[in-house]
Amino acid sequence: MIGIWTALAAAIGFGVTAALGKWFIPFLQRVKFGQTIREEGPKWHAGKSGTPTMGGIMFIIGIVAAVAVCLPIYYAFLRQNNSLQVAETWLMTVKVVGGLLMALAFGAVGFLDDYIKVVKKRNLGLRAWQKLILQFLVAGAYLVSVFLSGGTSQTMIPFAGMVDLGIAYWILSLFIIVGMVNAVNFTDGIDGLNGSVTFFYCIFFMLISSFLNMGGMSILAVASAGGCMGFLLWNFNPAKVFMGDTGSLFLGGMVCALAFGTDLPVLLFPLGIVYILEILSVVLQVSYFKLTHGKRLFKMSPIHHHFEMCGWGEMKICIVASAVTILMGIGCVFLVLLGCL
């Protein structure tokens, strides 16, 4: 029965997001919510200046609508048929709903950042320290809600089984969530990249959560995948709209919600390898620049811009990044099926 509700969630997430583009993009154009292109970016990106941003609101609405419709119906069906499965505990419900709320809160931080950039005309938006404080507060609130609902400090390690990390688990989780949210944010730099990578990330977590009999988490994952696909109709090169920090930080929150919600945060590293390479390239570039007093490790960071400078087209970068995510996802699914996770 999980298949029915996941199919419906995918359809709603996709349909609402895709349909919203018809009026929401012209609305963003009318209110002049256009993207300002950084001068230090690739020169050919200058033509994108003025493209509507904050389009992430489209898939946020689509995903919330899908979950709001399908999740209550799914739980009601299980109760009515006395088949409330072991995985659908109160803790799992908190992880599903709390995960969505965490993503929304991160999206709100991104909206504030976009608003300052676009409306207040302050190109850098929120200060770095302001953004980090808000992000740590959001991640901390999510982890506290999980802890108070019966969450433990145990986590699954491949081939080692469940390991109890004690208080270190919660501290590590806090930094991992904030780090991964920013990694997803860095992945948003060319048309279609973040949406396509996150689409496949969500598809594989939908499969994994289905195998683990976590229907609520599966609905959350596939609703997110549907929202990403609906947005890609408007965001593939040449993009008619950008997701902005509103969308990329929301997706970062969702990426973490799916991993922690299935008790498999370890999968953030293989399945989210593209996000990690993006933020790692920035860290390495800045560190190398400072250590060598002006030399660069990459032609430009994040690394998708390096590939652009090497002559790769935006579509090629999206295809390669998606292919890497698919390969990692297949490996993760096999680990789950084989009982290694």
Side-chain angles (χ1 to χ4, degrees):
M1 293 304 298
I2 291 178
I4 296 176
W5 311 119
T6 53
L8 181 60
I12 294 174
F14 172 81
V16 171
T17 304
L20 278 173
K22 277 289 188 179
W23 69 267
F24 192 68
I25 294 174
F27 167 77
L28 292 173
Q29 292 171 330
R30 286 197 302 273
V31 295
K32 302 187 186 305
F33 278 16
Q35 179 72 42
T36 300
I37 303 300
R38 294 164 53 194
E39 293 181 3
E40 61 269 28
K43 301 303 180 185
W44 51 89
H45 280 206
K48 299 183 180 186
S49 183
T51 301
T53 189
M54 300 171 72
I57 293 173
M58 292 159 52
F59 59 71
I60 290 174
I61 294 174
I63 293 168
V64 171
V67 175
V69 170
C70 296
L71 193 65
I73 297 176
Y74 168 66
Y75 284 153
F77 174 83
L78 292 180
R79 285 193 297 270
Q80 184 178 356
N81 291 273
N82 297 316
S83 58
L84 192 62
Q85 310 191 29
V86 175
E88 305 298 350
T89 61
W90 168 249
L91 175 59
M92 184 52 61
T93 301
V94 169
K95 286 183 176 180
V96 173
V97 177
L100 178 59
L101 291 176
M102 175 176 66
L104 287 169
F106 278 122
V109 175
F111 178 85
L112 182 59
D113 193 40
D114 285 334
Y115 183 83
I116 292 172
K117 290 176 185 175
V118 175
V119 178
K120 299 298 184 181
K121 306 299 181 184
R122 200 171 82 196
N123 191 41
L124 295 178
L126 287 170
R127 308 297 182 192
W129 64 269
Q130 294 173 323
K131 193 181 295 186
L132 280 174
I133 289 175
L134 291 172
Q135 290 173 344
F136 273 108
L137 288 174
V138 172
Y142 168 74
L143 292 172
V144 168
S145 71
V146 171
F147 174 76
L148 294 177
S149 301
T152 70
S153 54
Q154 292 183 329
T155 188
M156 182 67 73
I157 304 296
F159 307 106
M162 294 296 292
V163 177
D164 194 335
L165 299 177
I167 193 172
Y169 171 81
W170 303 105
I171 297 173
L172 283 172
S173 297
L174 184 65
F175 282 94
I176 288 172
I177 290 174
V178 172
M180 185 57 71
V181 166
N182 284 289
V184 176
N185 188 31
F186 277 123
T187 307
D188 183 38
I190 59 177
D191 298 353
L193 179 60
N194 206 352
S196 56
V197 169
T198 306
F199 167 78
F200 288 110
Y201 178 97
C202 293
I203 286 294
F204 281 107
F205 260 107
M206 181 271 291
L207 293 173
I208 291 168
S209 55
S210 294
F211 293 146
L212 297 175
N213 224 10
M214 298 178 178
M217 196 59 63
S218 184
I219 288 172
L220 185 63
V222 77
S224 301
C228 286
M229 183 54 67
F231 183 73
L232 284 171
L233 292 180
W234 305 99
N235 185 239
F236 268 132
N237 185 260
K240 298 178 178 62
V241 66
F242 298 141
M243 66 176 66
D245 281 2
T246 304
S248 61
L249 291 182
F250 172 88
L251 290 183
M254 189 60 69
V255 161
C256 293
L258 295 175
F260 281 88
T262 53
D263 293 322
L264 293 172
V266 68
L267 292 187
L268 279 169
F269 301 97
L271 196 46
I273 187 64
V274 171
Y275 308 130
I276 292 171
L277 291 176
E278 291 281 356
I279 195 169
L280 187 60
S281 69
V282 175
V283 173
L284 290 174
Q285 182 85 319
V286 173
S287 301
Y288 189 77
F289 186 86
K290 291 181 178 179
L291 288 172
T292 59
H293 305 289
K295 293 184 179 180
R296 298 179 186 275
L297 190 60
F298 305 103
K299 292 184 178 181
M300 189 177 177
S301 67
I303 200 168
H304 58 257
H305 288 319
H306 170 80
F307 290 124
E308 276 193 287
M309 304 289 272
C310 290
W312 288 30
E314 294 187 44
M315 188 61 72
K316 179 179 179 179
I317 296 171
C318 290
I319 292 173
V320 171
S322 297
V324 170
T325 303
I326 291 171
L327 289 174
M328 289 297 184
I330 292 172
C332 291
V333 169
F334 272 111
L335 284 176
V336 173
L337 289 177
L338 293 173
C340 300
L341 286 173

